[in-house]
Amino acid sequence: MAKRIKDNDWKLVPAPESKDHVRIDAEYKLFIGGKWVAPKSGKYLDTINPSSEQRLARVAEADAADVDAAVKAARKAYDTVWSKMPAPERGKYIYRIARLLQEKAREFAVVESMDGGKPIRESRDFDIPVAAAHFFYYAGWADKLQYAFPARNVSPLGVAGQIIPWNFPLLMAAWKIAPALACGNTVVLKPAETTPLTALLLAELIQEAELPDGVVNIVTGAGATGAALVNHPDINKIAFTGSTAVGKLIQRSVAGTGKKLTLELGGKAPNIIFADATIDQAVEGIINGIYFNQGHVCCAGSRLYVEESVHDEVVRKLKHRMKSLVVGDPLDKNTDIGAINSREQLGTINKYIKLGQQEGADMYQSSCDLPGKGFWCRPTLFTNVAQSARITQEEIFGPVLAIQTFRTVDEVIQKANNTPYGLSAGVWTDKGSKIFNLTSKLRAGVIWANTFNKFDPTSPFGGYKESGYGREGGVHGLGAYLNLS
Ligand code: NAI
Ligand code: MG
């Protein structure tokens, strides 16, 4: 019989990625009209490395006057250059961004992991390549927009205000900027306050690509900066990814203004395992679905529904696999689970872990070592969870899985849809007919079959219900940045 793995049986030799090729400045200003401009208030925020709690840089905090300057720069670039440029020329600039990003991929990956806490394996193999792929993909559409919408007239919207979160900082910037530029809009982007650095490196790269001044403006800051962008009267479109609470606020602010809006908000995705699934493959999919990126994923498979007859086998194999997950230094290539993004987010996750126990569910955590400094959370699962439990209903945004069982297809569809969210779902079964049945009945924007957390620029992404509206990615993603008549 194979030797059973005990906790911490895996002692891996450290394999840290080098930081030698990375330059992080002590201070970053605002990127407005193609120049680096000091914030009018003179205020700066610190961005820290969540795995060491050390400051990486001071980053400007834009107020309403700075946001106004950025919107004016974007408007001027739109009126005088970008909307007048022949579409194939626009495409060439976007291709140039894509190529430069590919060339600098290693630097971007290291900075992404330092500023946000995600494992280098993910930033290197997922975030940065997929961000570059979005620029390549949308560059190709720039001169073909009329073919995306046959028999319609297409025109850009104008200036887009874009607000992004901290879980995929560069990737979310790419999701927002690439289609907006391809469609002929100019943009003002606000990165999240805990992870501004790769967006600022992107601003440097955009300078290097010689994009006309003001086509892309990047203003850093926290919620008030985002609100100033949302409320600016000369914005034509707001694109937001973040919490449902802030999404609702934004929706109220733009009501009646004529600004177009797309929202990509929270999620509580069901991951459904039928007894006829390949269980070992499903276990890997469950692990990837919830522990990928510390569970800081709006489409994370945070609710697991297992057909009753295989529940014990699935839970036993899951626990076994969790024991081998390495939690620690984001720059180490062996790390599976990096640092939690901020002290606040760790507080939220720990609150839910406590709540799950108080609600009467059974908790299991691996007993791996954790570093002394920084924000960390062991991979966690709960069994014997009620459908009404708060850990089943509410978004935790951390490496915490709530497991329930089901007996019939109708029961699992009913349970899976019983949430205010509807962003994504997963189905694991050997039967194609079951997949088709579930994909037509689950209320979720993306449904993965026998896989999880797969992304491609050609594929649209977005939610139902309180997960938001509008689609990003693919041809659908173009529609969000165009007037169609
Ligand atoms: P958040 O929604 O406050 O932050 C997202 C972005 O919105 C940041 O750039 C932030 O500065 C900006 N923002 C904050 N208040 C704003 C306002 N009033 N007007 C305009 N922009 C504003 O999310 P937060 O507080 O960082 O995380 C809280 C929870 O939200 C997480 O625990 C998680 O459940 C969820 N979340 C969901 C994300 C998703 O991808 N759907 C991403 C991040 C968080
Ligand atoms: Mg940071």
Side-chain angles (χ1 to χ4, degrees):
M1 205 179 101
K3 183 172 166 283
R4 297 289 294 267
I5 300 172
K6 295 197 296 289
D7 285 21
N8 300 325
D9 236 17
W10 296 99
K11 289 282 180 244
L12 299 166
V13 179
E17 174 72 43
S18 159
K19 292 185 273 190
D20 297 349
H21 57 296
V22 167
R23 196 201 80 231
I24 297 177
D25 293 343
E27 185 180 288
Y28 287 89
K29 299 185 168 77
L30 304 165
F31 185 62
I32 297 177
K35 296 179 183 58
W36 294 97
V37 182
K40 293 194 166 70
S41 67
K43 285 194 190 150
Y44 286 78
L45 295 164
D46 285 350
T47 186
I48 65 161
N49 180 336
S51 72
S52 65
E53 300 176 51
Q54 275 168 357
R55 181 168 83 186
L56 292 168
R58 273 159 44 91
V59 174
E61 185 174 4
D63 64 12
D66 299 309
V67 168
D68 182 53
V71 173
K72 285 202 169 95
R75 175 63 60 192
K76 187 171 163 212
Y78 177 76
D79 287 341
T80 59
V81 187
W82 201 243
S83 65
K84 298 212 160 68
M85 187 182 286
E89 294 303 310
R90 236 173 33 226
K92 283 185 203 166
Y93 281 108
I94 307 170
Y95 275 122
R96 205 182 279 172
I97 297 174
R99 281 195 304 270
L100 282 170
L101 196 51
Q102 219 167 30
E103 280 171 25
K104 296 170 193 282
R106 241 181 75 173
E107 180 183 356
F108 273 85
V110 171
V111 175
E112 198 73 308
S113 286
M114 288 172 75
D115 201 16
K118 64 175 62 196
I120 187 72
R121 227 170 45 208
E122 278 168 24
S123 49
R124 183 196 63 194
D125 299 348
F126 179 75
D127 294 67
I128 312 305
V130 180
H134 271 81
F135 282 106
F136 276 116
Y137 174 76
Y138 280 112
W141 273 118
D143 59 352
K144 302 174 193 71
L145 296 173
Q146 69 272 31
Y147 303 109
F149 302 97
R152 310 280 295 271
N153 289 315
V154 299
S155 60
L157 300 173
V159 177
Q162 308 180 317
I163 300 166
I164 57 172
W166 40 263
N167 52 346
F168 294 94
L170 184 74
L171 184 58
M172 289 302 107
W175 276 31
K176 300 266 183 289
I177 295 173
L181 297 190
C183 293
N185 305 279
T186 57
V187 309
V188 179
L189 176 96
K190 195 204 82 69
E193 52 272 39
T194 57
T195 54
L197 293 182
T198 46
L200 294 163
L201 292 191
L202 183 65
E204 289 177 354
L205 183 152
I206 281 169
Q207 269 186 318
E208 199 180 326
E210 295 178 354
L211 240 74
D213 291 348
V215 170
V216 174
N217 304 275
I218 301 204
V219 290
T220 44
T225 310
L229 190 54
V230 169
N231 294 321
H232 195 288
D234 199 31
I235 289 274
N236 301 100
K237 189 221 157 87
I238 292 288
F240 172 77
T241 299
S243 63
T244 297
V246 172
K248 286 180 179 175
L249 270 177
I250 292 177
Q251 198 171 17
R252 273 197 289 274
S253 305
V254 306
T257 63
K259 289 173 195 167
K260 284 205 175 202
L261 179 63
T262 43
L263 296 173
E264 201 266 275
L265 310 175
K268 193 74 187 178
N271 203 0
I272 300 167
I273 318 294
F274 284 98
D276 59 18
T278 312
I279 298 298
D280 289 352
Q281 192 188 331
V283 165
E284 273 311 299
I286 298 163
I287 294 274
N288 175 39
I290 183 65
Y291 301 129
F292 170 60
N293 200 31
Q294 300 71 250
H296 296 338
V297 184
C298 46
C299 51
S302 50
R303 290 184 291 150
L304 183 65
Y305 291 98
V306 188
E307 195 165 352
E308 201 175 79
S309 60
V310 290
H311 171 267
D312 292 354
E313 179 189 358
V314 167
V315 171
R316 178 171 52 80
K317 287 184 166 170
L318 258 178
K319 289 180 179 172
H320 181 70
R321 180 70 178 89
M322 282 160 79
K323 287 176 189 172
S324 65
L325 293 176
V326 178
V327 182
D329 181 7
L331 286 185
D332 192 312
K333 291 165 205 137
N334 293 318
T335 294
D336 297 299
I337 299 181
I340 298 301
N341 184 263
S342 66
R343 187 183 297 283
E344 290 69 33
Q345 189 59 28
L346 181 58
T348 304
I349 297 167
N350 283 337
K351 182 192 85 183
Y352 278 106
I353 289 177
K354 209 185 241 170
L355 197 63
Q357 294 167 286
Q358 285 164 357
E359 284 177 320
D362 296 326
M363 186 185 77
Y364 172 82
Q365 284 186 320
S366 75
S367 57
C368 57
D369 297 332
L370 297 181
K373 281 212 127 198
F375 315 128
W376 310 98
C377 183
R378 294 194 171 90
T380 305
L381 65 74
F382 283 98
T383 48
N384 289 319
V385 186
Q387 178 71 20
S388 58
R390 285 183 61 191
I391 57 166
T392 312
Q393 291 291 327
E394 298 175 19
E395 183 175 53
I396 301 174
F397 227 63
V400 182
L401 180 65
I403 306 180
Q404 291 179 266
T405 58
F406 68 92
R407 288 182 181 171
T408 69
V409 173
D410 287 345
E411 177 194 355
V412 77
I413 291 171
Q414 200 270 332
K415 282 180 165 169
N417 285 337
N418 178 5
T419 142
Y421 296 113
L423 196 55
S424 63
V427 182
W428 298 79
T429 168
D430 196 29
K431 293 268 185 301
S433 56
K434 274 189 200 159
I435 292 173
F436 285 122
N437 183 30
L438 264 81
T439 48
S440 64
K441 292 183 181 143
L442 290 173
R443 303 277 295 155
V446 180
I447 303 175
W448 288 291
N450 294 325
T451 188
F452 210 91
N453 274 341
K454 288 280 178 285
F455 293 90
D456 189 277
T458 62
S459 174
F461 185 85
Y464 282 60
K465 301 191 276 188
E466 290 193 18
S467 292
Y469 51 75
R471 293 291 177 268
E472 296 184 295
V475 181
H476 301 68
L478 295 168
Y481 286 97
L482 289 170
N483 288 311
L484 298 171
S485 57

